[in-house]
Amino acid sequence: MEVWEWENFENIFNSSRFKVINTGPLYGPVTEFTLKRDTKLKIWLSTESAGDSESPDSDFVPGTVRTNTDAIECEDISGCLARAVGVTPISHVSSNNYISGKSITKQESTVEYVEIIIPKVPVDYRVDWVLNMDDGNIMWPDRHEFMFEGTTSFSWGDDFLGVRTEDSKRQFGRTCFCFSIDGVEVVVGRSGSKRDAPDKRGYLIYKGDISDDVRLKIMGCASYALGMHLVHVGSAGFSSAGYLAYAKSKSAYSLGGRVFELGRMPPTPLGFVYQGEINPEVATRVIRALYDNYDRLNLRMLFWQYWHAQCAPYHVAAVHFGAAIEFLQKKYMEVFGKQSLGVIMPKPNWRPIRDEILALLQSKDMQPQHLELISSQLAGLNRAPQKIVMERFLSSLGISLGDVELTAWQHRNDAAHGNDRTDSDPIELIRGNKVLRVMLDRMILKIVEAADHYVDYYSYNFPVRNLADPIPTS
C-alpha cells in the first residue's frame, strides 16, 4: 500500500528505524517498541526495557481530570523526529530469564496520537483519512486516474489535483467529488485501496497547506451534507513530488462504533435525477452554506449533538434531538437578533413591571433568603414557554409543522422530563425520533439557505418535500 493511500504509521514506526530518545512517563530506557491500532480505533504502544528500569513519578494523583500531554519522542538516523502524545500507561510486567540472567519489563500504554515531521519537505497537499465513507449507493461525479510510466502523476477530476510519484500501473474510475470552498480546492472520495473493507475507508484531499481548523470545518460540513458521520483517523502532508512531509494518526472516536451502523441519509437530495446521485452544483451549495455559517451558529457543537442523537438509545434519542433543536433556536435568536422570540412581552415593557414586583416584595416582611430566591425567579417570568418559542421560531423561518411533528415534539418533552412511557410502542418511539431528526434537518437547511428541499425519512419510500411543507399525517 502506498504511503499516500492510507495511514501508514504502523509500518513507519515499527520498522526499527526510530529509536526512543525521551521515554516520557514510561519505564526506560526503551529498547524496543511497537504501535498498533485496535478494532476500536484506539492506538496502543507496547514497549520493552531492562528489568531494573524505572518510570518517573507522576505529578497527578489518581482521579485527576486533565488533558494528557505526556509524550515520548523518537528519532531516526537522518534526524527525522516523531512522537507519541497523550501516552497513558495501562499495565506493566517484569520477567526474569534465569538461564540467560536477563530480565525485561514490558509495558502497555494507550496513545492519543502519533505524528512524524520530515524536515525540509514542503507541504503542497493535505490529506485527511476517514472511516465510514459509505459509498454503496453513491454515484460519484468525478474521476480519479493513476497513470504510472516511470515517474508521472495521478489526478482527481479534470486535472483538479495532481501529485507526482513512481510506479508502473494504471488505475481509473469514478470514486470522488471535487469542489472548492472559501478558496480551498477539495476532493472527497472513497479510498481505492480497500473498497471492501468493513470500515469503509475514505479521504479528503486539499490543495495547499490548509490549517487543521479549516479542514475540520470542511470535513464536518461534508459529513453532514453526505449524510454519514466521517470518523477522522489521521492526516498527512505531501509535496508536489509525492514525498511525505508530515503524518499524524490518532485514536479515533466513533461513538462506540455506533456510527458504522447508521445508513447514509443525506438531509437533502444532492441530485434530482438518480438515487444516490451527487450533483456537484447541488452538493457544493449545501457544503458552502454550512461552512459560511459554521462559526456563528457553532455548527461544530450542533453536529456533535446531531450525531450523538442519531446514535443514542431509542428511548432517550428524543432528548438529544430536542436539545439540539433548542440549541439551534438560541443560536438563531442570538445571531439574527431575534431575542424577542423567546420572551412573552418586549423587554422594555417588562422591566417596569418586574421592578414594581420587586419593590412590592422588598416591602414585605420576608426572610432575606426567601426574598433572594423569589427575586431570582423574576427574570424567568417573562420567558415564553418552549411551545410558543417553537411556533415563533418556525414562523420566522417560514416552516410549518403538522400533527406528526407536533406529536413527536410532545413525546420529546415526555422523554426529557421523565414522564412514564413504559407502555409506549418501541416502533412508535423510533419513528418519532425520525420525525425529530427531519425537523432538525429542515431548520438547519433553512437557516443557512443550503437547500430548498428535504428528505422525509419518516414516510415510506423517503419522499422529497419542500422545506416549508410539513410531514403529512398519512
Side-chain angles (χ1 to χ4, degrees):
M1 181 173 60
E2 300 290 349
V3 69
W4 43 262
E5 282 190 288
W6 191 244
E7 64 169 0
N8 211 19
F9 76 92
E10 293 183 36
N11 289 338
I12 294 175
F13 279 93
N14 300 340
S15 62
S16 300
R17 58 181 285 192
F18 283 99
K19 303 299 180 183
V20 177
I21 58 175
N22 181 353
T23 59
L26 304 182
Y27 282 85
V30 172
T31 55
E32 293 185 24
F33 73 93
T34 57
L35 284 159
K36 66 178 181 179
R37 186 189 293 279
D38 67 12
T39 57
K40 295 182 179 180
L41 307 182
K42 185 179 291 294
I43 296 176
W44 285 86
L45 170 65
S46 301
T47 58
E48 290 187 10
S49 58
D52 59 354
S53 60
E54 297 180 351
S55 66
D57 294 332
S58 174
D59 295 329
F60 304 96
V61 298
T64 301
V65 179
R66 66 187 178 100
T67 299
N68 187 357
T69 58
D70 294 340
I72 70 166
E73 297 178 344
C74 308
E75 186 178 28
D76 70 0
I77 58 175
S78 68
C80 179
L81 296 176
R83 61 178 187 153
V85 181
V87 178
T88 303
I90 302 298
S91 65
H92 75 276
V93 60
S94 297
S95 60
N96 297 295
N97 186 321
Y98 293 101
I99 297 177
S100 65
K102 294 182 179 180
S103 63
I104 61 173
T105 295
K106 295 184 178 181
Q107 190 168 19
E108 297 290 330
S109 308
T110 59
V111 175
E112 181 63 25
Y113 67 87
V114 295
E115 66 178 353
I116 177 173
I117 301 174
I118 301 175
K120 299 181 181 179
V121 179
V123 176
D124 298 309
Y125 297 90
R126 283 281 185 178
V127 180
D128 282 313
W129 292 303
V130 296
L131 299 176
N132 204 36
M133 184 67 76
D134 186 0
D135 75 334
N137 66 341
I138 291 181
M139 297 184 64
W140 295 105
D142 295 308
R143 64 180 177 84
H144 77 263
E145 184 170 4
F146 306 142
M147 298 179 63
F148 301 132
E149 297 175 359
T151 300
T152 181
S153 66
F154 59 89
S155 61
W156 288 263
D158 297 323
D159 297 326
F160 189 83
L161 295 177
V163 179
R164 301 185 68 82
T165 185
E166 294 186 2
D167 210 319
S168 58
K169 60 184 177 180
R170 176 176 179 175
Q171 300 173 352
F172 57 90
R174 291 192 176 273
T175 63
C176 60
F177 160 46
C178 306
F179 62 97
S180 64
I181 184 168
D182 197 24
V184 179
E185 295 176 290
V186 188
V187 183
V188 57
R190 166 180 54 79
S191 175
S193 60
K194 293 284 185 181
R195 181 172 188 178
D196 297 328
D199 46 18
K200 304 169 187 174
R201 298 178 177 181
Y203 60 81
L204 288 91
I205 301 179
Y206 315 82
K207 191 172 184 179
D209 189 6
I210 309 304
S211 69
D212 291 349
D213 288 343
V214 170
R215 292 185 355 258
L216 288 176
K217 288 181 189 179
I218 294 174
M219 196 185 317
C221 296
S223 182
Y224 175 77
L226 292 172
M228 48 192 173
H229 179 59
L230 301 178
V231 179
H232 188 214
V233 297
S235 58
F238 296 92
S239 70
S240 59
Y243 294 112
L244 180 67
Y246 171 82
K248 178 179 180 179
S249 292
K250 66 179 184 177
S251 292
Y253 178 57
S254 62
L255 283 74
R258 284 284 289 117
V259 296
F260 298 114
E261 301 172 8
L262 299 175
R264 193 183 77 87
M265 303 173 72
T268 183
L270 301 180
F272 293 91
V273 179
Y274 307 105
Q275 184 176 9
E277 175 192 8
I278 295 182
N279 180 295
E281 292 185 4
V282 175
T284 299
R285 175 193 172 187
V286 177
I287 297 173
R288 283 180 179 171
L290 294 167
Y291 182 88
D292 290 343
N293 291 274
Y294 190 93
D295 290 324
R296 65 175 185 166
L297 291 177
N298 196 358
L299 293 185
R300 179 179 181 180
M301 173 62 74
L302 184 63
F303 290 158
W304 177 269
Q305 295 172 313
Y306 180 85
W307 294 114
H308 277 79
Q310 292 214 51
C311 293
Y314 71 84
H315 64 287
V316 295
V319 178
H320 293 273
F321 279 119
I325 289 173
E326 291 194 20
F327 176 81
L328 183 59
Q329 285 178 353
K330 293 175 182 177
K331 294 304 296 184
Y332 174 78
M333 291 187 287
E334 172 190 323
V335 170
F336 294 95
K338 301 284 187 178
Q339 288 87 349
S340 61
L341 301 180
V343 297
I344 296 174
M345 65 175 63
K347 289 185 178 180
N349 296 345
W350 163 247
R351 287 193 188 101
I353 298 175
R354 179 202 61 191
D355 293 342
E356 288 184 20
I357 297 174
L358 182 59
L360 178 62
L361 291 172
Q362 292 172 338
S363 68
K364 302 299 181 180
D365 184 17
M366 302 176 62
Q367 295 185 19
Q369 63 268 32
H370 293 165
L371 176 62
E372 181 180 356
L373 288 172
I374 295 175
S375 300
S376 67
Q377 301 300 309
L378 288 179
L381 292 179
N382 193 41
R383 187 177 299 122
Q386 177 55 221
K387 180 180 180 181
I388 302 299
V389 175
M390 175 67 87
E391 291 175 355
R392 294 173 177 175
F393 173 56
L394 294 173
S395 176
S396 177
L397 294 179
I399 290 178
S400 59
L401 296 184
D403 292 340
V404 171
E405 289 104 331
L406 294 175
T407 300
W409 187 247
Q410 178 57 47
H411 288 171
R412 171 263 174 186
N413 292 333
D414 292 337
H417 298 293
N419 295 338
D420 187 1
R421 300 198 67 204
T422 53
D423 296 331
S424 298
D425 182 359
I427 294 178
E428 177 190 352
L429 293 178
I430 293 170
R431 285 175 58 79
N433 294 336
K434 291 185 176 184
V435 174
L436 293 173
R437 178 258 168 98
V438 171
M439 287 171 56
L440 180 55
D441 283 337
R442 293 172 65 194
M443 296 170 189
I444 294 172
L445 296 171
K446 183 67 174 181
I447 290 173
V448 304
E449 299 181 346
D452 303 311
H453 302 85
Y454 72 96
V455 181
D456 175 4
Y457 289 111
Y458 171 82
S459 301
Y460 297 120
N461 297 316
F462 304 155
V464 176
R465 307 190 190 281
N466 292 323
L467 277 182
D469 297 338
I471 298 174
T473 303
S474 59

